[in-house]
Amino acid sequence: MGNQIDDSRPIFVQIAERIEDDILEGGLPEESQVPSTNQFASFYGINPATAAKGVNLLVDQEILYKKRGIGMFVSSGAKVKLMEKRKEQFVEQYVVTMMREAEKLGITSEQLTDMIRERGNRA
Amino acid sequence: MNSSVKSVVRMHMKDRLSWFYLPWCIMLSSFVINLILAGTMQEEQLVTGGLASIFIYMLVSGIVSVQHTFPFALGFSVRRRDYYSGSMVMIVAVSLFTSILLCLLSYIEDASGGWAVELYFFHIPYITDGNALQQLVVFASVLLFMYLLGFAISSLNRRFGKMGLYTAAIASLVLGTLFVYGVIYLEWWKGIFDFFDGRSAFEVGLLLLPVSIVLSGISYALLRRSTV
Amino acid sequence: MSAIVEAKRLTKTYGSFTAVNNVSFTIEPDKIYGLLGRNGAGKTTIMHLITAQLFASSGELLVFGQEPYENERVLRQTCFIKESQKYPDTFRVTDVLGTAAMMFPNWDEGFAKRLLTDFNLPLKRRMKKLSRGMLSSVGIIIGLASRAPLTIFDEPYLGLDAVARNIFYERLMEDYAEFPRTVILSTHLIDEVSKLLEHVIVIDGGQILLDEEADSLRGRAYTVTGPSAKIDAYAAGKPVIHQEALGGSRAVTVFERLGATDQKQAEALGLQFSPVTIQQLIVCLTTRSSEQKGAYL
């Protein structure tokens, strides 16, 4: 039980994020079957209805689709779609925060881009 | 009998210790002591009241049983009505069963000349005067009465708690006092004496039955509104 | 499907004391509910009312669409496991389980046997001689193996260690997945069970404080920490449900979802945020003094 589910954020959102991560990292290729609601529920030790809500969130966004009587599958094109969505979040989550912190420390945007470039070269 | 009533009977049956083994152990140990006594005494006939132990046990058992099984049964989603009906079935069955055994022992005692030592434990003058059926009725009605009295007392406790018991105790004390006053000073004793004079144990036993039915009805009325 | 339990303006008084005060709620089919609150909040009374073991002073209560009192159809479908359950003195574990098997129509003997092994219970031991934890295990086995369409657990695991509690959670969820049913779970260990719950009802002082989907309570409040003056400025006019001070810094818990603008405002002020779990939220809400109660709900 457990498996790092955080009790201070809606669990269905966290389940959706886990599935998204799996799709982005290749763990769940397009057109492959997604574990069942009950499998999610028992793996994370959560209520099956909550797990279903997380899965349905992705169905609504057409990341997943339902095959009647078989289960949930990853849509083709899901990965690209997710990358677009995550890129938007990336700006908000990392770039904006970074720039705010940089401002506090008196780092100019030129210095900042230099720092990023340097890291990029090293990596 | 619906299935829930049957289940309540079977629940009671699981407690064979309280319903069968314990009363018979208590009574039979009294019997054995009396048997030894009678064996050591020469030439004399021994009539004892040891049989009373089983009737007293029934009273106590009636009190304890409700205390233990009512909250248990209700906790298992049993209706009060089914608990009551099942318990009544059990009480009547046990009283009859016990009476049959007592009759049998009474008969053996009589036929064996008091177990060969002239001990009269089950075969007691007046009580076992009638024929087999009459003896059965005497035993059964007294057992039933004692059990239901206990059952009613315990139901009263269930319904109204300790205050209910105290109130009932005080009320019966007052009524008892008034009754004794009536018996002595208003010479009711004459009437009472006349009433019982010449009546057999069988007839008295029959008279106990309506009293038992009233006790049973009171118990039901109390349990219907009892909580856990 | 219609509601499993429907309570309207339910009230239970004992003399001048009101244990349950004008409470209305609905329990929907095949969901797991958490009935949470402090001791003496009225949870146990409500569960006793649902099972007709206590009588309401006023209000309406329907279980499976009917009044539960002396109702065979309703009671047959209900299993109420409570911490205070009494057992006949002479009964052994096997007698109690045997009785349960007769009383509950959906009883699964195989499941009961597996649970007996899980909890390592001595079948032949008298109930009187069981430890507190063992007594709790008996209740848990009955509650699970009865598979009653409405199963109610009131503090089912007193005296059980973390391992045994975990077995309970796992078996409950496995069996629930296979045989969906309505479960009401009342407990203090909110952190342990919150992930299992679909819906949460919080009772405080005989009244309903919260009646919401469990997931909607996660992230429903947040705590901000920082220098007192800045915190005061930030928190002014916000629904603060809890505060603590340490030296010159202060932490306040705000009962609202953290909006993007709030977060920007606060981060600009140099304040720190932490999300609040369901347990923390309920503790905050139920420890507030009575005059504050209900102010933001």
Side-chain angles (χ1 to χ4, degrees):
Chain A
M1 285 188 103
N3 295 310
Q4 310 99 34
I5 285 286
D6 172 1
D7 204 35
S8 57
R9 284 197 308 138
I11 290 177
F12 79 96
V13 175
Q14 298 180 56
I15 294 298
E17 285 171 0
R18 300 287 166 97
I19 299 172
E20 287 179 358
D21 286 344
D22 264 358
I23 295 172
L24 285 170
E25 287 158 13
L28 281 173
E30 292 177 0
E31 296 304 326
S32 68
Q33 190 173 0
V34 177
S36 74
T37 303
N38 282 340
Q39 284 170 316
F40 277 119
S42 86
F43 184 75
Y44 290 113
I46 59 171
N47 188 295
T50 313
K53 210 175 152 192
V55 171
N56 287 331
L57 187 70
L58 295 181
V59 172
D60 290 344
Q61 297 171 5
E62 295 174 343
I63 304 291
L64 304 179
Y65 70 97
K66 189 177 189 168
K67 274 192 196 169
R68 292 234 169 267
I70 307 176
M72 295 293 179
F73 288 79
V74 180
S75 312
S76 16
K79 195 168 173 177
V80 177
K81 211 177 206 169
L82 282 175
M83 284 167 80
E84 285 304 315
K85 184 175 136 193
R86 289 284 177 103
K87 271 178 200 161
E88 280 167 37
Q89 287 176 2
F90 177 78
V91 174
E92 187 61 34
Q93 240 178 324
Y94 298 100
V95 181
V96 173
T97 319
M98 179 176 70
M99 287 173 68
R100 190 181 298 130
E101 188 70 14
E103 201 181 341
K104 229 191 273 178
L105 301 175
I107 302 170
T108 66
S109 47
E110 242 168 51
Q111 284 171 315
L112 199 59
T113 39
D114 282 347
M115 284 160 98
I116 293 169
R117 204 170 290 131
E118 219 174 285
R119 293 272 157 179
N121 290 342
R122 238 189 276 163
Chain B
M1 217 195 298
N2 75 33
S3 72
S4 299
V5 177
K6 255 185 234 165
S7 302
V8 172
V9 174
R10 285 167 65 197
M11 170 195 80
H12 282 308
M13 294 279 280
K14 286 188 184 296
D15 192 7
R16 281 181 286 271
L17 182 74
S18 306
W19 287 96
F20 302 106
Y21 304 149
L22 222 52
W24 283 91
C25 278
I26 293 170
M27 193 184 57
L28 288 179
S29 54
S30 161
F31 173 70
V32 168
I33 292 167
N34 279 297
L35 200 63
I36 294 166
L37 260 154
T40 52
M41 292 195 307
Q42 306 281 314
E43 312 272 323
E44 256 175 280
Q45 168 176 308
L46 180 63
V47 180
T48 80
L51 185 59
S53 68
I54 199 159
F55 297 103
I56 291 162
Y57 178 88
M58 283 290 168
L59 174 73
V60 174
S61 183
I63 294 173
V64 174
S65 175
V66 179
Q67 220 50 29
H68 283 169
T69 57
F70 182 75
F72 177 61
L74 245 68
F76 278 18
S77 305
V78 171
R79 280 191 304 183
R80 291 163 177 83
R81 186 193 308 169
D82 295 334
Y83 169 78
Y84 167 81
S85 309
S87 301
M88 288 304 127
V89 169
M90 188 68 186
I91 292 165
V92 170
V94 167
S95 297
L96 280 176
F97 177 79
T98 309
S99 308
I100 291 169
L101 284 181
L102 290 177
C103 281
L104 222 65
L105 287 165
S106 160
Y107 177 79
I108 296 170
E109 189 169 83
D110 189 32
S112 65
W115 315 99
V117 291
E118 287 190 73
L119 167 68
Y120 291 96
F121 190 91
F122 301 103
H123 194 78
I124 294 170
Y126 185 69
I127 301 288
T128 53
D129 280 352
N131 63 32
L133 186 70
Q134 288 176 338
Q135 286 186 31
L136 193 77
V137 170
V138 172
F139 283 135
S141 60
V142 179
L143 285 170
L144 206 58
F145 169 76
M146 294 302 270
Y147 204 101
L148 288 171
L149 182 62
F151 198 88
I153 291 171
S154 205
S155 301
L156 182 70
N157 181 39
R158 263 280 135 216
R159 177 67 184 89
F160 293 112
K162 281 202 183 92
M163 278 318 289
L165 280 187
Y166 293 147
T167 312
I170 291 166
S172 33
L173 207 71
V174 171
L175 287 176
T177 312
L178 289 176
F179 182 73
V180 169
Y181 175 84
V183 168
I184 296 169
Y185 293 98
L186 305 178
E187 304 198 331
W188 289 357
W189 59 269
K190 282 182 186 160
I192 295 166
F193 193 79
D194 287 345
F195 181 81
F196 281 103
D197 188 32
R199 273 174 212 271
S200 66
F202 171 63
E203 283 171 310
V204 175
L206 282 182
L207 283 171
L208 267 182
L209 284 175
V211 180
S212 300
I213 290 168
V214 169
L215 283 174
S216 170
I218 290 171
S219 304
Y220 181 54
L222 290 169
L223 287 182
R224 287 260 318 164
R225 298 302 295 171
S226 289
T227 56
V228 168
Chain C
M1 243 166 120
S2 55
I4 299 295
V5 180
E6 244 188 307
K8 282 183 196 146
R9 299 178 306 279
L10 201 59
T11 299
K12 173 71 183 174
T13 53
Y14 295 96
S16 62
F17 174 69
T18 307
V20 175
N21 190 358
N22 207 20
V23 154
S24 301
F25 62 91
T26 304
I27 302 283
E28 286 166 16
D30 297 344
K31 287 188 178 180
I32 301 183
Y33 282 77
L35 189 58
L36 312 172
R38 304 179 65 184
N39 276 339
K43 295 170 290 170
T44 302
T45 308
I46 289 176
M47 291 182 272
H48 276 93
L49 292 172
I50 293 174
T51 50
Q53 295 184 20
L54 282 179
F55 305 119
S57 307
S58 67
E60 243 178 79
L61 177 68
L62 296 181
V63 183
F64 294 103
Q66 299 178 355
E67 301 225 353
Y69 174 61
E70 291 294 81
N71 190 324
E72 175 79 359
R73 202 186 71 85
V74 171
L75 294 176
R76 277 300 117 243
Q77 301 186 68
T78 309
C79 178
F80 178 22
I81 300 303
K82 53 173 179 258
E83 177 240 315
S84 61
Q85 177 66 53
K86 297 213 173 56
Y87 301 99
D89 275 355
T90 55
F91 270 42
R92 295 163 301 167
V93 174
T94 172
D95 298 323
V96 169
L97 294 180
T99 306
M102 297 185 303
M103 304 294 186
F104 297 106
N106 295 343
W107 183 263
D108 184 324
E109 189 62 33
F111 189 27
K113 290 245 165 68
R114 264 176 288 140
L115 290 166
L116 264 174
T117 338
D118 283 341
F119 287 103
N120 211 1
L121 263 185
L123 257 181
K124 296 285 171 198
R125 192 167 306 173
R126 291 205 185 281
M127 296 302 290
K128 256 199 323 196
K129 302 256 163 88
L130 294 186
S131 67
R132 183 61 248 180
M134 284 173 166
L135 267 180
S136 295
S137 315
V138 173
I140 285 173
I141 292 174
I142 294 168
L144 290 175
S146 62
R147 289 216 178 109
L150 173 60
T151 305
I152 304 174
F153 289 104
D154 184 12
E155 292 293 347
Y157 31 48
L158 245 70
L160 284 186
D161 59 28
V163 177
R165 293 203 299 271
N166 227 27
I167 293 174
F168 167 58
Y169 302 140
E170 277 179 18
R171 294 294 171 273
L172 171 67
M173 294 318 280
E174 281 166 18
D175 207 57
Y176 169 78
E178 208 177 335
F179 302 93
R181 51 197 190 259
T182 309
V183 177
I184 302 176
L185 188 56
S186 167
T187 177
H188 293 116
L189 303 174
I190 303 170
D191 263 345
E192 277 190 16
V193 301
S194 69
K195 286 171 201 157
L196 309 179
L197 306 176
E198 185 170 349
H199 201 100
V200 169
I201 296 177
V202 180
I203 308 287
D204 196 38
Q207 287 177 312
I208 290 188
L209 201 61
L210 279 179
D211 179 358
E212 281 188 53
E213 219 176 282
D215 234 6
S216 78
L217 293 176
R218 297 190 176 92
R220 193 48 195 287
Y222 59 89
T223 302
V224 209
T225 318
S228 295
K230 282 185 179 178
I231 289 287
D232 287 346
Y234 174 79
K238 287 196 161 59
V240 172
I241 51 173
H242 185 71
Q243 42 186 319
E244 266 172 64
L246 178 69
S249 74
R250 196 201 283 275
V252 298
T253 302
V254 181
F255 188 52
E256 63 178 18
R257 259 178 216 296
L258 186 56
T261 42
D262 293 322
Q263 188 155 4
K264 277 181 189 143
Q265 184 202 345
E267 273 168 4
L269 286 168
L271 304 177
Q272 273 193 327
F273 280 95
S274 50
V276 165
T277 65
I278 292 187
Q279 164 145 321
Q280 290 165 336
L281 175 64
I282 292 172
V283 167
C284 285
L285 288 174
T286 53
T287 43
R288 288 191 297 154
S289 60
S290 52
E291 68 266 23
Q292 280 179 297
K293 230 160 245 170
Y296 304 115
L297 295 170

